[in-house]
Amino acid sequence: MSTGTGTSAGPGTGTPKALGPDAERAPRSLAETVLRVRELSIGGALVLLVLGTWLANPSFLDGQGVEDLLLNSAILVLLATGQSVVVLTRNIDLSVGSVVGLSAFACGSFVSGSDHGPVAVLLLGTALGVLCGLVSGALVSFGQVPALVVTLGMLYVLQGVGHAWAHGDQINAADVPDSVLELGSGGVLGVPYLPLISAAVLTCTAYYLRSYRGGRELYAIGSSPEAARLAGIPLRRRVLAAYAFSGAVAGFAGALWLARFGTVVADAANGWELTVVSAVVVGGLAITGGVGTVWGAALGALLLTTMGSALVVLKVNPFWEQAITGVLLLAAICADRVVRHRTTEALRKRRRP
Amino acid sequence: ALTLALAGCSGTTKDDAKDDAGSAKEGARNAKADPDAPLKEGLKLAFLPKQINNPYEKIVDEAGIEAAGEYGGQAKEVGPSDAKASSQVSYINTLVQQRQDAILIAANDPNAVCGPLKQAMKRDIKVVAYDSDTHKDCRQLFINQASSEDIGRSLIQHTAKQLGHKGEIAILSATQNATNQNAWIEFMKDELEKPAYEDMKLVKTAYGDDDDQKSFQETQGLLKAYPKLKAVISPTTVGIAAAARYIGGSSYKGKVVLNGLGTPNQMRKYVKNGTVEQFSLWDPEKLGYLASYAAASLSSGQITGREGERFTAGELGERTVGKDGEVILGPPTVFDAKNIDDFDF
Amino acid sequence: MRQAGGKDDAPVREAGGEAARGEVAAGRRRTYAELLRWDTALGVLLVAVLLAGAGGTEGFAETTNLSAALNDTAEIALIALPMTLLVVAGQVDLSVASMLGLSSALAGSLWDAGWAFELIVPVCLLVGLAGGLLNGWLVTRVGLPALAVTIGTLTLYRGLASVVLGNKAVADFPETYAQWASYTKTVPGTFVPYPIALFAVLAVGAAVVLHRTRYGRAMFAIGAQEQAAWFAGVRVNRIKLVLFALTGLTAAFAGIVHTLRYGSARADNGIGLELVVIASVLLGGVDFNGGKGTLGGAVAGVLLIGVLNNLLTLNDVSNEIQVVVTGVLLIVSVLTPRVIAVAGERRQRRTAAT
Amino acid sequence: MAQAAPAGAPAPVLALEEVTKSFGSVRALRGVSLALHAGEAHALAGENGAGKSTLIKTLAGVHRPDSGTVLLDGAPVTFHGPADARAAGIAVIYQEPTLFADLSVAENIFMGRQPLRALRRVDHTAVRDATAALLRRLGVDLDPERPARGLSIADQQIVEIAKALSFDARVLVMDEPTAALTGTETDRLFAVVEALRKEGAAVLFVSHRLTEIFRLCRSVTTLRDGALVASEPLAGLTEDDLVRRMVGRDLDALYAKRDTRTGETALEVRRLTREGVFHDVSFEVRRGEIVALAGLVGAGRSEVVQAVFGVDRADAGEVLVRGAALRRGSPTAAMDAGLALVPEDRRQQGLVMELSIERNIALTGLHTLGRGGLVRRAAERARAGDWAARLRLRFDRLSDAAGVLSGGNQQKVVLAKWLATEPEVLIVDEPTRGIDVGTKAEVHRLLSELAAEGLAVLMVSSDLPEVLGMADRVLVMHEGRLVAELPRAEATEESVLAAATGRTGAVRRTEAAALDGEGTP
Ligand SMILES: Nc1ncnc2c1ncn2[C@@H]1O[C@H](COP(=O)(O)OP(=O)(O)OP(=O)(O)O)[C@@H](O)[C@H]1O
Ligand SMILES: Nc1ncnc2c1ncn2[C@@H]1O[C@H](COP(=O)(O)OP(=O)(O)OP(=O)(O)O)[C@@H](O)[C@H]1O
Ligand SMILES: [Mg+2]
Ligand SMILES: [Mg+2]
């Protein structure tokens, strides 16, 4: 998509390039706010939502409530983390939903009626995910073909393969060893494993992206692939790695899915690709690459799942739920955009008094 | 206002919408039934489930396909991988093109499949609905697992007994538009009107879209939103399994009653660990078996789908076509800790 | 591939003197290049599939089958037209399927309330227009990326559909209108059902707009380099807005076609259709990044998926395999031109080296 | 053709031998050889499209030669990509700045080579400090932490220069680094390059400003149509000799400005302000007049003309064309009123790189090329062919993407696209950036002729000789304000520079300032 790449098109859209060269001269605090504002506004929306729901129904935040919130969002946060890494490189991975489904089913048939432990399952899921990611990644990076088309194709291929394999079979929770199910429902010190795992993956990814050359190079590639090539960045390898990572995370999430839900049919996470992409977009990552952080994407994922839970708890008429979710979603991205626009405009005006 | 009125006058409104339904069927029905005709050899039958990868539908269809082997027919299962209202239509069209002898369909949407099914009947292809009905003009027979009324009322009756006729209850259904679900829910509501249930209240109907994960979260939401909730009824196999999993793994276990329709293999664990006391379901294999024989009898001319006609359904013995071309399988089985190990499906 | 008749040591032509000769040579080269273009290849593939089907599959070439198969693509085909224009202009609308559902639900609930069908249609179209304008407004005025906006309205419009109609399903639409949308009623003398006939007319219109008018030129420019288009005086926002509005309008119209065709108005009609539409358009060689593509390619993409699915179903190929085939086709669609280009470069380097 | 290696010199650090390179049917390089020696600055000259950038990209590993060899320290090497060339110590400044718009200036400079601390983590502080030091050395006031997005072309060029200087290159290759710079920045750049050269680096330098070549380099290689013309020491050559080698014939006077009589006011700008960028800018341009807008890099000139044309929205003030006020923020309205803007950044603003040459040229006049919204292809092609010929555009086919043209030829397409609208007021922002001497004269003659026919021209240029040679009047900007107005007679290098650097004492207070008073109601 060529939208929003540094264009000043349209009188109303304002100029996104309005960050002053003399930003230095503007008070530091303001400049810093701008840098963080992406995560701030989404985080703010999340806090508002949670507080509002809690006021209306205090049981929303009791022990079971918090646990449910964390558990519900854990897998989406994971997927959003993986997706962000790909989106940062100006690519997209629409096949995640299918990968989760395939991996969950594969892991399910692997452990069904056996006594394999959680580690084996997670390894299997991850390996399968890496494989899928490598195929997409190889096509995108070495085949130099548009990511959206390739991964949409992969979405169909993997989904078809998964369905053909399962062909109506289903993994029953009863057949899954308890040690695996424990991973999905158990926890340490009352905190369930799943959110802990997601948080760990998220933190490591964020740290890598911020503090390692490889991570910075992903930003560079997304910002300008052409410049990245000229700067001697191993473009193809990095993009391939990004896809492998996204695939690995999705495969891993598939294994967790099995652990959490026990009952699995081949279309687990069917249609999640758009949810994951919206989490990423709501979280402030530019779909054109190079901008945003995984923290934002994680906040976006949290916001989306919390919205769903909150509406049920608020006893909203189920026929209205989806419409309200849509409005909230649009409100969140609009607010984010407006805040950012206002700040950059304000900064521009202070540049040269 | 004027134009509106004019349009109102000259326009096509609901009242003058003509329904030529049935004319196709009448044509087919004019043929006379010959109860003594033997089942034809080599009949071509096609099962068109709601969704090809739904485990429950698969059991039904496989049993039906096996049954076809008994009388020397050839049956197959084709269908979409999503349960969309419209996605069955193109399959009906191709089945017509392939000149099958009979189409057996579990309709995703009673209206959407109607037109193409009529086209099929015009071409002398027999149409049997099972599991989920279409309009009675658009098929010759409907093999009903149990009467909708029985299912709906008995679910309330069983649950009420478990609760001592007191407390808030909620329903976890499949999609908002599932015909059979909505029919059952209507009967449940009707049953609840009776004075015996005056202390019971249906607080909400939630929709899990027959999606495991969504059903799971909907259960969560229900219990959170209605702290006084005493029972959840989920008349769908996907929903009840998901609900059982959530309740079984949460602090609500043992405090909230779960009842509904489920398969023994899915529910065995939760019956054994005490999350669920009982649930019910008919035998899906028998449903497929009966449907298969009914279709064969139709195609062989033994019956035409008129009320009162009789045909023999293999091991299941003789069956009679009821009102509106309905053939009823029989009352559902109630599964509990005592009998669950006798079943494997 | 040297210029015919050009002097060996005048590789770069200056405008003027040699112009005429150069243009002739260029013209010839272009026809070769045209043959290698993906959209042309896709058209050839479509014909091949049709021929193969007619030869090898019983019942495929029957007019009733072709009418039914074509009519089954009606909504996708209709929406694919404005979608192609949008994608060429570097935008996308993921909310089309939801708008289709909303329009269907609205038609159902109004019909249920006893409105005249002649009145329902314009109301639905207006709602579609409004929905499209909302998308466009959010993209052009608020400055949000199209993908983000339409993922949001995808949820919103589907939600509104369920607000409007709840879990009801409305049927019994007037037979006269249902007939027009059905595959059993065809344009006299052909096997083309009316929705597809309408699509054909609109496709020609859209092709003219995209490839022959200044608005089409502007769309290409916006898609390829929005800022440069804006600097060249192209009314970027206006064109985007109009395109979104048109897409919404068409989606709403497709909703009515869907409702009549299946005789069933439900809030969940057409769920998931957006990806099929986009897949068809992309299969047709339209570049998702904007600025490249042809309408003919998109049309061929739509028809190929429709015809191929019909053919596979007739041959009892399971749905799962059909899905895989669609996926593989998509991947091949982008890989093939790339492979040809790389092979060309290789060949060139070899000839240059010798 | 003779190699002009200085006698007795050691093997060249980097050399090309008999290199050819084709793009499709275009043969960009035909058997070209070149040798770069340690401690020597070598110039590469040639017309637009002669193959200079292609040669440089071959040295940098961006292009693989079709045949011929690249020699590093006398041994043949194959660069599989820019990374290999970098590793061999070759630093390149490409003709078109390629920055990571979303990343900070500092990250841009050190991408892939960031200093590390424990656990191989990037040392962000060190990156910032090193950048600050580099920028200081180049004497520019840029915040290392600001994002590269929004930098003017000149600033982008400076970042590119800093990038190339940031690693100890054995070979420094610069493709028109000065095209967007004013004299001040160029001087600083040369000082730094000179220092590097003295430390033993080999330098390859491309510029269309011949004086710069003579200032910096000792030898020169000239290309024409992708073939080597000569490789020789500069000593003893004159600018005219060089031009003759490039063009193959003699050129007439470079600046052909005709004196004309000015007519009524065509463009009037009143108190135009875009907060934080420029303030209270007022001036007018008359028919037949060429007005130059001068200033240092970053003075805000481009911003002003963009606001005048309406691509950026001004916060206050108005623009009048022939007395009628323009709608704010609408380039379409500006075009309807007869305005045209040749923007500064041809890659983002001037051209749609993926579109063909003819469609780019036609883009500004689609409504004139047919009726009822239809576009007649023949008319489109004719318009493009016409202007391509007038501007001596070098191209293969009009249906080729504009992106494959050489830098200077791209600039010509931008000019063609706007001249074809037959404007009444032409605003040109760095109109001859990257254009070779021959064509530059052509462009100047064209502008001068058009002015004589009654066109009003507003020209932003960092090329001081161009400003002095072409302008009837020079407006000077400093830090977002108009600080001086100099008629042709008073405009000298000293007076313009003095005003541009803010030494206003030296300058007569402008009429424009006086105009402020009456402009306010
Ligand atoms: N990627 C490419 N594809 C096709 N043709 C190209 C490509 N790059 C360069 N050319 C062609 O090669 C020729 C040489 O271009 P090059 O950029 O080397 O010229 P140059 O000497 O740098 O000119 P300028 O002074 O205008 O920058 C031109 O005719 C150009 O059109
Ligand atoms: N949209 C923007 N956002 C932030 N800074 C900008 C923007 N546009 C320009 N600048 C900065 O504002 C200053 C004025 O830019 P402008 O391009 O108008 O200068 P100029 O006088 O034309 O000089 P140049 O020769 O660099 O083009 C420069 O420092 C530039 O980096
Ligand atoms: Mg060049
Ligand atoms: Mg400038």
Side-chain angles (χ1 to χ4, degrees):
Chain A
M1 306 254 322
S2 69
T3 39
T5 30
T7 109
S8 65
T13 60
T15 45
K17 56 172 181 173
L19 249 187
D22 319 354
E24 206 176 24
R25 282 174 222 157
R28 193 88 225 174
S29 63
L30 190 54
E32 271 169 8
T33 321
V34 175
L35 292 178
R36 297 240 175 87
V37 82
R38 288 200 130 91
E39 285 79 35
L40 262 189
S41 54
I42 293 300
L46 182 62
V47 169
L48 270 182
L49 180 71
V50 170
L51 278 185
T53 316
W54 176 66
L55 285 179
N57 184 346
S59 81
F60 185 60
L61 285 186
D62 64 11
Q64 182 76 44
V66 172
E67 186 180 325
D68 287 345
L69 274 186
L70 290 176
L71 276 172
N72 288 346
S73 48
I75 290 183
L76 190 60
V77 166
L78 260 184
L79 293 177
T81 309
Q83 185 72 253
S84 317
V85 174
V86 173
V87 168
L88 276 180
T89 65
R90 196 181 280 192
N91 287 299
I92 196 165
D93 187 355
L94 288 183
S95 68
V96 283
S98 300
V99 175
V100 172
L102 190 64
S103 152
F105 190 80
C107 292
S109 5
F110 173 66
V111 294
S112 251
S114 77
D115 53 359
H116 293 292
V119 177
V121 178
L122 289 178
L123 281 181
L124 175 73
T126 313
L128 197 66
V130 169
L131 200 71
C132 299
L134 282 178
V135 174
S136 308
L139 284 168
V140 171
S141 62
F142 291 97
Q144 294 188 357
V145 290
L148 188 111
V149 188
V150 165
T151 56
L152 187 58
M154 284 298 283
L155 178 156
Y156 287 129
V157 171
L158 294 177
Q159 177 184 327
V161 167
H163 283 182
W165 179 15
H167 205 83
D169 276 344
Q170 134 170 328
I171 310 297
N172 287 321
D175 300 334
V176 179
D178 286 337
S179 62
V180 174
L181 293 178
E182 169 68 15
L183 178 68
S185 46
V188 278
L189 301 173
V191 187
Y193 291 125
L194 246 55
L196 286 180
I197 295 175
S198 297
V201 172
L202 174 67
T203 316
C204 293
T205 313
Y207 195 73
Y208 178 78
L209 287 178
R210 173 155 171 74
S211 296
Y212 282 85
R213 275 186 189 169
R216 300 317 299 165
E217 288 178 5
L218 291 180
Y219 277 89
I221 292 169
S223 189
S224 166
E226 176 60 15
R229 202 168 67 90
L230 293 180
I233 293 174
L235 202 99
R236 297 178 177 188
R237 254 191 12 238
R238 292 266 179 269
V239 171
L240 185 65
Y243 271 96
F245 177 73
S246 156
V249 169
F252 184 76
L256 291 181
W257 185 290
L258 174 76
R260 167 109 208 268
F261 296 115
T263 307
V264 166
V265 282
D267 55 6
N270 200 1
W272 270 41
E273 53 279 344
L274 288 188
T275 318
V276 175
V277 172
S278 40
V280 167
V281 169
V282 167
L285 268 92
I287 209 77
T288 43
V291 176
T293 65
V294 281
W295 295 114
L299 281 175
L302 270 176
L303 186 71
L304 286 188
T305 36
T306 310
M307 234 183 245
S309 308
L311 290 180
V312 179
V313 170
L314 291 173
K315 303 187 192 177
V316 170
N317 177 341
F319 298 131
W320 282 87
E321 264 176 35
Q322 211 182 359
I324 296 178
T325 311
V327 169
L328 289 180
L329 201 71
L330 286 173
I333 46 183
C334 285
D336 179 50
R337 163 77 204 176
V338 168
V339 169
R340 226 167 344 123
H341 182 65
R342 288 268 162 82
T343 340
T344 41
E345 278 294 288
L347 263 187
R348 163 172 73 83
K349 294 192 173 163
R350 314 172 62 134
R351 230 170 68 205
R352 210 179 247 161
Chain B
L2 184 67
T3 44
L4 196 141
L6 279 179
C9 294
S10 63
T12 323
T13 56
K14 192 159 183 175
D15 304 327
D16 34 80
K18 275 240 198 62
D19 195 347
D20 76 341
S23 62
K25 200 174 148 194
E26 284 316 315
R29 226 175 249 176
N30 287 339
K32 282 265 300 249
D34 173 11
D36 303 324
L39 285 187
K40 279 190 195 151
E41 285 277 324
L43 287 174
K44 289 199 296 179
L45 268 55
F47 282 85
L48 182 48
K50 287 181 165 184
Q51 187 182 5
I52 196 133
N53 36 17
N54 178 317
Y56 161 81
E57 305 261 342
K58 192 184 156 204
I59 298 171
V60 177
D61 294 350
E62 279 182 353
I65 292 172
E66 225 179 277
E70 289 180 11
Y71 53 79
Q74 287 175 344
K76 66 178 179 187
E77 183 195 32
V78 295
S81 51
D82 53 49
K84 278 196 297 194
S86 56
S87 41
Q88 284 178 317
V89 170
S90 61
Y91 282 91
I92 301 175
N93 287 336
T94 44
L95 290 175
V96 171
Q97 218 58 45
Q98 290 174 335
R99 306 207 165 70
Q100 301 287 332
D101 293 299
I103 297 174
L104 296 99
I105 183 171
N108 276 326
D109 177 300
N111 306 311
V113 293
C114 217
L117 287 179
K118 282 184 191 162
Q119 291 293 325
M121 291 196 289
K122 254 191 207 154
R123 301 250 200 134
D124 201 25
I125 295 172
K126 308 297 179 207
V127 177
V128 176
Y130 65 96
D131 187 42
S132 178
D133 199 6
T134 167
H135 287 306
K136 62 179 197 295
D137 312 310
C138 310
R139 44 84 179 154
Q140 271 117 351
L141 287 178
F142 172 49
I143 314 300
N144 203 346
Q145 45 270 59
S147 87
S148 300
E149 180 158 4
D150 272 1
I151 296 175
R153 294 197 193 279
S154 68
L155 280 175
I156 292 294
Q157 287 156 5
H158 292 158
T159 313
K161 213 176 280 163
Q162 287 176 282
L163 291 178
H165 288 81
K166 209 182 275 166
E168 293 186 350
I169 65 170
I171 296 175
L172 175 66
S173 174
T175 57
Q176 295 180 355
N177 306 66
T179 340
N180 48 2
Q181 295 281 325
N182 289 339
W184 298 332
I185 292 170
E186 277 315 305
F187 282 113
M188 290 191 213
K189 288 185 179 157
D190 192 60
E191 180 74 12
L192 280 172
E193 297 285 301
K194 293 185 182 165
Y197 308 102
E198 62 183 10
D199 290 336
M200 281 171 65
K201 191 173 154 227
L202 175 64
V203 289
K204 173 151 173 174
T205 305
Y207 299 93
D209 293 349
D210 259 355
D211 175 279
D212 185 75
Q213 194 248 348
K214 173 113 199 280
S215 308
F216 190 91
Q217 286 186 7
E218 285 296 328
T219 315
Q220 235 174 52
L222 280 176
L223 293 168
K224 189 98 281 164
Y226 303 94
K228 286 188 291 187
L229 200 64
K230 284 287 173 289
V232 175
I233 302 177
S234 181
T236 157
T237 55
V238 178
I240 193 172
R245 225 173 39 253
Y246 176 70
I247 295 176
S250 73
S251 51
Y252 301 106
K253 182 175 161 186
K255 295 185 195 132
V256 175
V257 168
L258 178 63
N259 207 327
L261 304 176
T263 66
N265 283 355
Q266 276 181 3
M267 300 300 292
R268 184 163 293 121
K269 182 175 167 197
Y270 306 105
V271 172
K272 299 221 157 139
N273 74 11
T275 310
V276 177
E277 213 174 294
Q278 53 148 260
F279 62 95
S280 41
L281 195 69
W282 47 91
D283 186 338
E285 295 194 346
K286 285 188 186 153
L287 178 63
Y289 189 89
L290 178 58
S292 184
Y293 267 96
S297 308
L298 265 179
S299 301
S300 307
Q302 283 182 356
I303 52 173
T304 60
R306 229 175 267 137
E307 188 171 352
E309 292 173 340
R310 296 162 163 272
F311 66 100
T312 315
E315 307 168 348
L316 293 178
E318 189 156 278
R319 295 284 166 148
T320 311
V321 179
K323 188 167 165 284
D324 289 339
E326 266 195 36
V327 180
I328 293 184
L329 178 65
T333 316
V334 176
F335 304 96
D336 55 23
K338 283 195 289 285
N339 69 358
I340 193 160
D341 283 335
D342 305 338
F343 299 91
D344 179 24
F345 62 85
Chain C
M1 273 226 197
R2 217 176 274 142
Q3 216 170 279
K7 276 181 297 169
D8 242 357
D9 53 354
V12 180
R13 195 163 49 80
E14 260 180 37
E18 282 180 285
R21 195 165 12 144
E23 285 306 314
V24 174
R28 196 171 316 138
R29 266 203 307 270
R30 204 164 305 126
T31 46
Y32 292 140
E34 220 123 78
L35 281 182
L36 290 177
R37 266 174 28 186
W38 174 254
D39 48 356
T40 329
L42 203 66
V44 174
L45 189 60
L46 178 62
V47 173
V49 168
L50 284 171
L51 290 180
T57 303
E58 200 192 328
F60 175 77
E62 276 177 33
T63 51
T64 45
N65 180 59
L66 289 178
S67 313
L70 280 179
N71 217 28
D72 269 342
T73 63
E75 296 88 23
I76 298 171
L78 285 169
I79 300 176
L81 296 178
M83 186 70 86
T84 305
L85 305 195
L86 260 187
V87 174
V88 164
Q91 310 296 306
V92 70
D93 186 350
L94 291 178
S95 72
V96 284
S98 298
M99 179 49 78
L100 184 154
L102 175 55
S103 155
S104 175
L106 193 63
S109 85
L110 293 180
W111 178 245
D112 207 32
W115 283 46
F117 200 74
E118 291 76 9
L119 209 58
I120 294 178
V121 175
V123 169
C124 286
L125 293 183
L126 273 181
V127 168
L129 191 67
L133 283 173
L134 175 63
N135 283 336
W137 183 78
L138 288 170
V139 169
T140 57
R141 295 291 141 181
V142 186
L144 292 166
L147 201 69
V149 165
T150 56
I151 284 182
T153 50
L154 175 150
T155 315
L156 174 62
Y157 297 158
R158 183 64 70 187
L160 288 178
S162 136
V163 168
V164 168
L165 199 57
N167 61 358
K168 274 192 295 192
V170 177
D172 294 332
F173 288 95
E175 197 58 34
T176 36
Y177 289 101
Q179 277 294 315
W180 285 100
S182 149
Y183 74 94
T184 47
K185 184 178 178 113
T186 57
V187 179
T190 67
F191 59 84
V192 180
Y194 280 95
I196 296 298
L198 178 65
F199 160 73
V201 172
L202 292 180
V204 171
V208 168
V209 168
L210 185 62
H211 297 297
R212 286 282 180 277
T213 66
R214 58 183 163 123
Y215 310 105
R217 293 291 150 87
M219 288 168 207
F220 278 101
I222 295 172
Q225 190 91 291
E226 187 174 321
Q227 199 181 3
W230 168 242
F231 269 70
V234 170
R235 295 174 202 246
V236 176
N237 282 345
R238 184 175 304 183
I239 288 182
K240 282 195 204 166
L241 192 69
V242 168
L243 284 181
F244 276 107
L246 272 182
T247 311
L249 187 73
T250 315
F253 181 72
I256 291 172
V257 173
H258 189 102
T259 311
L260 288 176
R261 219 152 69 71
Y262 294 108
S264 170
R266 298 164 37 137
D268 64 352
N269 270 345
I271 243 174
L273 210 68
E274 65 278 345
L275 282 189
V276 185
V277 172
I278 288 172
S280 310
V281 170
L282 295 184
L283 178 62
V286 180
D287 188 344
F288 190 73
N289 292 319
K292 277 195 214 105
T294 61
L295 201 97
V299 169
V302 171
L303 294 182
L304 184 66
I305 289 189
V307 170
L308 205 56
N309 279 350
N310 175 262
L311 189 58
L312 293 177
T313 312
L314 272 178
N315 284 306
D316 282 340
V317 176
S318 76
N319 185 275
E320 293 109 350
I321 305 299
Q322 293 181 19
V323 171
V324 174
V325 169
T326 312
V328 170
L329 258 182
L330 264 179
I331 296 176
V332 167
S333 79
V334 284
L335 214 52
T336 316
R338 184 67 208 149
V339 167
I340 292 176
V342 170
E345 269 165 40
R346 288 256 165 81
R347 202 180 44 231
Q348 163 135 42
R349 195 168 305 150
R350 262 203 313 279
T351 46
T354 50
Chain D
M1 221 124 320
Q3 278 282 117
V13 190
L14 187 64
L16 291 180
E17 253 173 29
E18 292 291 320
V19 164
T20 59
K21 174 77 195 171
S22 306
F23 300 101
S25 58
V26 178
R27 297 178 66 194
L29 291 178
R30 293 186 282 168
V32 175
S33 303
L34 173 84
L36 300 179
H37 294 271
E40 190 192 270
H42 191 93
L44 188 59
E47 283 184 286
N48 292 136
K52 303 179 294 296
S53 300
T54 308
L55 186 146
I56 282 172
K57 286 182 179 162
T58 310
L59 284 177
V62 177
H63 291 326
R64 284 264 288 283
D66 295 336
S67 68
T69 37
V70 181
L71 301 169
L72 187 66
D73 292 323
V77 284
T78 310
F79 294 139
H80 291 283
D84 287 356
R86 277 185 146 211
I90 303 171
V92 185
I93 300 171
Y94 296 97
Q95 184 170 12
E96 306 293 346
T98 40
L99 297 182
F100 306 116
D102 304 300
L103 302 186
S104 69
V105 168
E107 284 214 273
N108 261 288
I109 291 175
F110 284 98
M111 181 52 66
R113 302 175 291 113
Q114 297 97 333
L116 301 179
R117 52 195 177 119
L119 295 174
R120 302 189 50 77
R121 284 170 302 160
V122 171
D123 190 341
H124 291 289
T125 332
V127 170
R128 192 182 52 225
D129 294 348
T131 306
L134 261 174
L135 292 175
R136 256 198 313 280
R137 187 158 153 219
L138 283 170
V140 285
D141 175 30
L142 269 180
D143 176 7
E145 292 202 74
R146 66 152 290 170
R149 186 182 300 285
L151 284 178
S152 74
I153 287 290
D155 285 337
Q156 290 180 33
Q157 198 61 265
I158 286 170
V159 176
E160 287 287 350
I161 292 170
K163 199 197 288 184
L165 299 181
S166 70
F167 59 109
D168 297 323
R170 300 173 60 210
V171 183
L172 177 61
V173 180
M174 301 185 286
D175 195 354
E176 302 195 33
T178 54
L181 303 189
T182 59
T184 333
E185 290 90 19
T186 306
D187 291 346
R188 286 220 189 81
L189 170 66
F190 281 10
V192 175
V193 172
E194 192 64 9
L196 282 177
R197 189 186 63 73
K198 290 216 175 89
E199 287 164 21
V203 176
L204 181 64
F205 177 72
V206 177
S207 174
H208 289 296
R209 299 183 186 163
L210 301 185
T211 39
E212 291 178 355
I213 290 187
F214 282 93
R215 258 176 73 194
L216 188 71
C217 301
R218 230 182 70 192
S219 51
V220 60
T221 295
T222 319
L223 299 178
R224 193 193 309 153
D225 281 346
L228 189 72
V229 175
S231 202
E232 58 204 326
L234 269 167
L237 289 183
T238 63
E239 286 196 16
D240 286 342
D241 295 334
L242 211 50
V243 169
R244 207 171 305 117
R245 280 174 179 56
M246 284 161 52
V247 189
R249 60 191 155 87
D250 282 313
L251 279 187
D252 338 320
L254 283 189
Y255 300 112
K257 169 72 177 128
R258 274 199 255 156
D259 273 325
T260 49
R261 285 202 292 121
T262 56
E264 73 272 29
T265 305
L267 172 72
E268 187 180 351
V269 174
R270 281 197 200 143
R271 313 209 57 166
L272 205 62
T273 298
R274 186 167 153 83
E275 275 167 55
V277 184
F278 55 83
H279 287 270
D280 246 358
V281 174
S282 307
F283 60 86
E284 54 174 41
V285 184
R286 297 171 179 280
R287 288 172 59 99
E289 192 183 32
I290 300 183
V291 175
L293 200 51
L296 294 186
V297 161
R301 299 161 299 168
S302 300
E303 298 269 352
V304 168
V305 294
Q306 286 178 16
V308 168
F309 190 60
V311 286
D312 282 349
R313 200 177 256 269
D315 294 325
E318 48 181 354
V319 176
L320 299 100
V321 180
R322 278 170 300 145
L326 273 189
R327 192 147 62 83
R328 239 189 244 169
S330 164
T332 324
M335 283 169 70
D336 290 345
L339 240 57
L341 168 68
V342 174
E344 158 185 57
D345 182 351
R346 59 180 169 244
R347 298 221 312 161
Q348 300 296 326
Q349 305 168 338
L351 290 176
V352 184
M353 288 296 176
E354 289 171 22
L355 284 194
S356 63
I357 300 169
E358 55 193 1
R359 296 217 170 163
N360 265 295
I361 294 179
L363 196 58
T364 46
L366 289 171
H367 51 284
T368 62
L369 294 173
R371 251 179 295 153
L374 290 176
V375 175
R376 281 196 305 124
R377 285 201 176 170
E380 185 179 58
R381 177 150 295 191
R383 173 168 160 140
D386 240 28
W387 280 97
R390 281 180 79 172
L391 293 175
R392 302 177 7 105
L393 188 71
R394 273 163 176 267
F395 62 99
D396 185 24
R397 285 177 279 157
L398 280 176
S399 56
D400 282 338
V404 307
L405 291 179
S406 80
N409 282 304
Q410 288 177 5
Q411 185 67 27
K412 291 185 200 169
V413 175
V414 187
L415 276 171
K417 155 180 168 180
W418 284 109
L419 289 176
T421 62
E422 294 175 2
E424 290 180 33
V425 180
L426 176 66
I427 308 175
V428 286
D429 196 350
E430 312 285 0
T432 57
R433 184 165 70 90
I435 286 191
D436 64 43
V437 269
T439 317
K440 201 172 192 170
E442 214 93 23
V443 170
H444 287 156
R445 183 173 308 127
L446 196 71
L447 287 181
S448 172
E449 268 170 27
L450 289 171
E453 285 165 23
L455 181 74
V457 179
L458 176 61
M459 177 173 82
V460 177
S461 175
S462 298
D463 190 355
L464 206 48
E466 179 171 81
V467 168
L468 299 178
M470 293 295 295
D472 295 306
R473 222 159 15 109
V474 181
L475 305 172
V476 188
M477 281 188 75
H478 172 68
E479 299 210 332
R481 289 173 196 278
L482 212 52
V483 289
E485 173 173 343
L486 307 164
R488 186 178 177 86
E490 289 176 31
T492 61
E493 253 182 68
E494 293 73 36
S495 60
V496 172
L497 265 179
T501 46
R503 281 176 279 136
T504 33
V507 181
R508 187 165 63 93
R509 200 62 199 129
T510 67
E511 280 171 39
L515 198 137
D516 281 359
E518 47 192 77
T520 341

